[in-house]
Amino acid sequence: MGALTYEPDFTSAVTESSIDLDDLAEQAQDVLQGQSDDVLENLLALNGSSAGARPKALIGFDKEHNHIVHGASALPKGYAPWLVKFANTQDGIDAGAIEYVYTLMAGEAGIDMMPSHLFSAKNSAGYFATKRFDRDGKARLHTHTACGLLHSDFRTPTLDYQDLLALTHHLTRDMREVEKMFRIAVFNVLAHNRDDHSKNFTFLMDANGGWGVSPAYDLTFSSGPSGEQSTMVMGEGKTPNLTHLKALGKEAGLTKPKVTNIIDQTQNALSHWGNLAKVHGVRAANIRMIEGRIKAV
């Protein structure tokens, strides 16, 4: 991922033959459950270095959204680099659909998001996919996570959103970028996305050496360590609320009207959870459970 590469490159050349996501998902489960070794090399080749809790594959997706090919290296003409996720052994069959709906709501909340897609699946509500933000055509964009910049352990709660907003201001010198990070903080708290660890915040560097907040990613319903936010809000991890978010915005130098507007816009976007989740195949029990968590903040 990002702009850094290794030489010499021993990866196999990209092929224009299409791949079957259902077959790949079954292979991923075989590997996760320790039932198969013969597909591991293929999965690693597709995965590239995207890492994360869920098995992923780097693919090429055509403009008409009809065909996909292996996408870890150069792509055929007319294809763009995307990433598709598969369920892990702890996920339900609607994990992909839940993340897709969260992505739609985040965009409505004013968060910068990459285009996303929900692939149909035989044995689940679908596979979530998103266009990669570390590529612009054939150009490779340099990326750095908050984890890497701050040497923060992403496995344990070590950050507060105060730290992330201060880092954003120090790195970008742009209050518009600080506002972007604040919007992500508000969404994560109000949408009960508690797996908001330091690897889930990334910065992109442009050709002139300028930094900016990357489009948001890994936005979905989740619980953090012991059910708390992985990244605290003004020192609060267990039950952060609107009071903490307003204090965070003030601390970051955002005006009171701006903070209020961002919170209102986010709450309005999240109010569409039930309808969107039903349309995209989220199970009724999960719709009710997540709606209850959203309304509890």
Side-chain angles (χ1 to χ4, degrees):
M1 309 296 283
L4 302 181
T5 59
Y6 294 90
E7 293 185 359
D9 183 4
F10 292 111
T11 57
S12 57
V14 65
T15 64
E16 295 193 30
S17 58
S18 60
I19 56 178
D20 188 322
L21 290 181
D22 286 315
D23 180 56
L24 198 58
E26 290 177 4
Q27 293 177 356
Q29 285 300 311
D30 286 343
V31 172
L32 287 170
Q33 295 172 12
Q35 298 176 357
S36 175
D37 292 327
D38 57 354
V39 299
L40 184 57
E41 183 176 346
N42 185 39
L43 287 176
L44 289 175
L46 285 173
N47 180 52
S49 56
S50 54
R54 293 186 172 92
K56 304 178 182 70
L58 303 180
I59 63 171
F61 200 15
D62 71 340
K63 295 179 181 178
E64 290 74 30
H65 289 186
N66 293 323
H67 300 93
I68 57 177
V69 297
H70 295 189
S73 55
L75 294 173
K77 184 177 180 180
Y79 285 77
W82 283 61
L83 180 150
V84 60
K85 293 183 178 182
F86 305 108
N88 63 30
T89 52
Q90 285 76 46
D91 286 329
I93 61 173
D94 53 0
I98 292 172
E99 184 166 1
Y100 181 67
V101 172
Y102 264 59
T103 297
L104 296 179
M105 295 190 298
E108 190 175 346
I111 295 175
D112 183 19
M113 304 293 296
M114 294 299 288
S116 60
H117 185 74
L118 187 65
F119 285 104
S120 60
K122 290 188 298 185
N123 301 315
S124 70
Y127 307 122
F128 174 78
T130 181
K131 191 174 182 181
R132 292 173 61 179
F133 57 70
D134 64 329
R135 296 289 184 269
D136 183 9
K138 294 183 178 181
R140 304 170 64 98
L141 305 181
H142 182 50
T143 70
H144 221 329
T145 64
C147 176
L149 287 165
L150 299 174
H151 300 278
S152 172
D153 185 358
F154 69 94
R155 298 177 182 84
T156 57
T158 55
L159 286 181
D160 193 294
Y161 278 107
Q162 287 177 281
D163 303 316
L164 285 173
L165 294 174
L167 171 64
T168 303
H169 186 265
H170 178 77
L171 195 63
T172 69
R173 303 297 181 183
D174 190 336
M175 285 301 297
R176 293 170 297 183
E177 299 300 308
V178 174
E179 180 184 325
K180 287 182 183 179
M181 186 63 76
F182 179 71
R183 283 184 181 274
I184 297 172
V186 171
F187 185 88
N188 283 341
V189 171
L190 298 185
H192 203 279
N193 176 26
R194 297 195 161 188
D195 190 34
D196 50 349
H197 56 74
S198 58
K199 270 194 172 182
N200 281 343
F201 306 98
T202 293
F203 298 87
L204 295 173
M205 189 178 76
D206 63 26
N208 298 317
W211 289 94
V213 178
S214 79
Y217 57 96
D218 281 359
L219 302 183
T220 190
F221 179 84
S222 59
S223 295
S226 301
E228 299 188 18
Q229 297 284 154
S230 295
T231 297
M232 296 183 293
V233 187
M234 302 297 289
E236 178 60 40
K238 188 174 184 180
T239 55
N241 55 38
L242 295 180
T243 299
H244 297 102
L245 289 173
K246 290 175 181 178
L248 177 69
K250 182 179 179 181
E251 176 81 9
L254 299 174
T255 65
K256 186 176 180 179
K258 174 65 70 176
V259 170
T260 300
N261 177 263
I262 290 173
I263 291 174
D264 289 345
Q265 187 177 2
T266 303
Q267 289 177 321
N268 180 66
L270 292 174
S271 70
H272 299 149
W273 158 254
N275 291 333
L276 288 172
K278 185 176 181 180
V279 168
H280 293 290
V282 179
R283 291 180 294 174
N286 279 339
I287 293 177
R288 292 192 299 271
M289 183 270 292
I290 293 175
E291 188 169 43
R293 297 293 180 86
I294 290 175
K295 289 182 176 179
V297 181

